[in-house]
Amino acid sequence: MTRTGRSVLVTGGNRGIGLAIAQDLAARGDRVAVTYRTAAPPPGLYGVACDITEPDAVARLFEKVTVEQGPVEVLVANAGIVRDALLLSMTDQDVDEVLDTNLRAVIRVVKHASRQMLAERWGRLILVSSSAAFTGSPGQTNYAAAKAGLVGLARSLAWELGPRGITVNVVSPGLIDTDMTRDLSKARREQFLSRTPLGRPGRAEEVAAAVRFLASAEAGYLTGAVLPVSGGLGMGI
């Protein structure tokens, strides 16, 4: 079944990977809404200021998107934060903030989207994880744990929602050239690249292309999968 002009929601879609995904899908005719917190919404997209860690804010988000462009048919759960430190130096707040945004909020957003998709017996849920979930990442125990949790979430939901025509998949980016990764130290960046067979950072547009496929009709028999867009970083894990 080919669908055009779908209602799409991309969390954290105002910059970096999320913006590239949102712009890619919009360019192909979808109606795309994005959430943002601190920066202004990108031009040409329907922006909703939303703290996805707040249950009431998420409920209002889905109400606004439904009124503006219809019930969500494709959800890309991309919003995420980092609070890096070695575990022995990591505060409870560092742990809680990352788990709240990168895992608990994703569960919350997916729950709302699923309700809307069930009525149509069709939907695409795409969760943006990280190669850190599979390789581990010193100084990012909170982040890696949250991103690994998305895999269990997706595979459990694949069982729950598959009979209703809803697919649930994970994209796992490696080192992608964004504002966030440009802040990495030279040594840290070189460490990532030394473990990347292609020897270069990825582009946000390359992640967007993977998401576009998972959101397509052609990916209708693909669910519970993890698609690495990592230049080979963590391959086979």
Side-chain angles (χ1 to χ4, degrees), residues 99-224:
L99 291 178
D100 282 347
T101 301
N102 297 6
L103 182 56
R104 293 189 185 104
V106 175
I107 295 172
R108 181 177 299 115
V109 171
V110 164
K111 188 174 182 180
H112 279 270
S114 297
R115 288 195 183 107
Q116 296 188 328
M117 294 174 183
L118 285 170
E120 297 296 322
R121 300 185 70 89
W122 193 95
R124 296 285 187 265
L125 297 169
I126 302 164
L127 315 183
V128 180
S129 181
S130 168
S131 60
F134 305 97
T135 63
S137 182
Q140 291 191 310
T141 53
N142 50 0
Y143 180 81
K147 291 297 188 179
L150 295 181
V151 178
L153 171 63
R155 288 180 170 167
S156 298
L157 285 174
W159 283 105
E160 293 185 14
L161 301 176
R164 299 298 185 93
I166 300 167
T167 65
V168 193
N169 292 292
V170 176
V171 171
S172 175
L175 180 66
I176 306 299
D177 193 14
T178 64
D179 290 341
M180 183 182 294
T181 59
R182 290 182 198 118
D183 291 337
L184 291 172
S185 68
K186 182 179 179 181
R188 184 75 162 147
R189 190 177 181 86
E190 289 178 349
Q191 181 185 43
F192 280 120
L193 291 177
S194 70
R195 299 159 60 193
T196 303
L198 290 184
R200 66 167 177 85
R203 294 179 291 108
E205 292 77 12
E206 292 173 306
V207 182
V211 171
R212 184 201 323 143
F213 168 68
L214 292 176
S216 71
E218 289 78 8
Y221 200 57
L222 187 65
T223 195

Side-chain angles (χ1 to χ4, degrees), residues 1 3 13 36 66 114 123 138 142 146 180:
M1 180 180 183
R3 291 180 176 236
Y36 66 97
T66 300
S114 297
N142 50 0
M180 183 182 294

